[in-house]
Amino acid sequence: MHKLSVNHLCGYGLEVPDLKVASDFYTAFGLRASIEKDRLLMHSAHEGPAELIAIRGQEKRLHHLSFGIHESDTSKFEEHLKKIGSPATASPQKGLREGLWFQDPWGTWINLTPTTVIKNPSQNLTVPRVDRHLWRELPKEIKPNRLGHMLMFTQDWEKVEAYYCLALGLKVSDRAAGKVSFMAGGSGVRDHHCFGLINSTHRGFQHSSFQVNSIDEIGLGAMQMQKAGFTDGFGIGRHALASNLFYYTRDPWGSWVEYYADMDKISDSWQAKDWNELPYMWPQWAPEFWGKEMNANHERK
């Protein structure tokens, strides 16, 4: 019998003051946009529910989180949530996402939707590049494969971590001591994390991250965003915890969206640790990335 757990992060919702601004930004990033019932739906190349649903609001705010579960676990989660005092209830907006809805003790809406588990491809052997021009084979336009993870600011950091492990079956994969908790869902070999919590004064959206295939696609994605006028970014670099390559672009509301590739995988035998390392191995250390600009919580209490 498998442990009751969400499998992966499959989406999130934002309230934004202007849907066109959101569409222009995320379309430049490589997602595809559609409008449905006055909501902006953004999709990567991955087939499934919209990774981002943007709803018109007075200011930018995190609206909800959405995690994928096995369809056979739906009734089990419903019973489990009731038992821990977070019973499933009606969606905050009709037709927003399928599945179960509930609120955590701090008021964040969480959706559990039956989806197909994202399979991690097996490690492919590198084919020697002989009699080929790699530069001619690189994509002309970067379109991310899928949503990989999201980090959320929160108060009561340790209590929130314990609740998300209890309610969702998430497992802490590593911590930046006192600052960030990285969390993985599902079982077997999977990404080092699909979700994370950042110690802060209040709830808020910090960044979302979409998977691409290589450092070339990260670099080309960075150029793509800069050509579109979104020039405020950080990277390219290599993180410490999770080891993924990254490039961050600041969104129109002061938060971030990331291209990532080459993340560590973990198995069920992985043991979490608390670390006091720098957040990335290279480029040169920039304190504002970790302490101020990167971690500015722009959402009001």
Side-chain angles (χ1 to χ4, degrees), residues 26 36 38 50 56 83 96 140 146 180 185-186 205 207 232 237 288:
Y26 280 100
E36 183 180 297
D38 204 32
R56 191 173 283 107
K83 188 180 297 185
L96 192 59
K140 298 294 187 292
R146 61 178 176 88
V180 184
F205 171 83
H207 87 273
D232 194 359
E288 66 275 9

Side-chain angles (χ1 to χ4, degrees), residues 78-129:
E78 192 166 13
E79 182 180 346
H80 170 66
L81 291 169
K82 184 177 180 180
K83 188 180 297 185
I84 67 171
S86 300
T89 185
S91 167
Q93 289 191 16
K94 186 177 179 181
L96 192 59
R97 292 184 188 270
E98 296 181 357
L100 301 176
W101 284 91
F102 68 100
Q103 284 182 287
D104 72 15
W106 298 267
T108 299
W109 282 101
I110 301 174
N111 166 250
L112 304 180
T113 189
T115 59
T116 303
V117 177
I118 296 176
K119 295 181 179 178
N120 290 306
S122 58
Q123 193 73 24
N124 294 322
L125 296 175
T126 302
V127 178
R129 195 164 71 244

Side-chain angles (χ1 to χ4, degrees), residues 40-93:
L40 174 67
L41 310 183
M42 304 300 305
H43 291 263
S44 70
H46 176 69
E47 293 184 5
E51 278 102 337
L52 167 61
I53 298 179
I55 303 162
R56 191 173 283 107
Q58 290 188 340
E59 56 191 16
K60 191 273 288 182
R61 292 180 64 86
L62 177 66
H63 184 268
H64 69 267
L65 307 170
S66 180
F67 292 90
I69 61 173
H70 292 291
E71 186 170 8
S72 59
D73 283 343
T74 302
S75 60
K76 297 173 187 175
F77 262 110
E78 192 166 13
E79 182 180 346
H80 170 66
L81 291 169
K82 184 177 180 180
K83 188 180 297 185
I84 67 171
S86 300
T89 185
S91 167
Q93 289 191 16

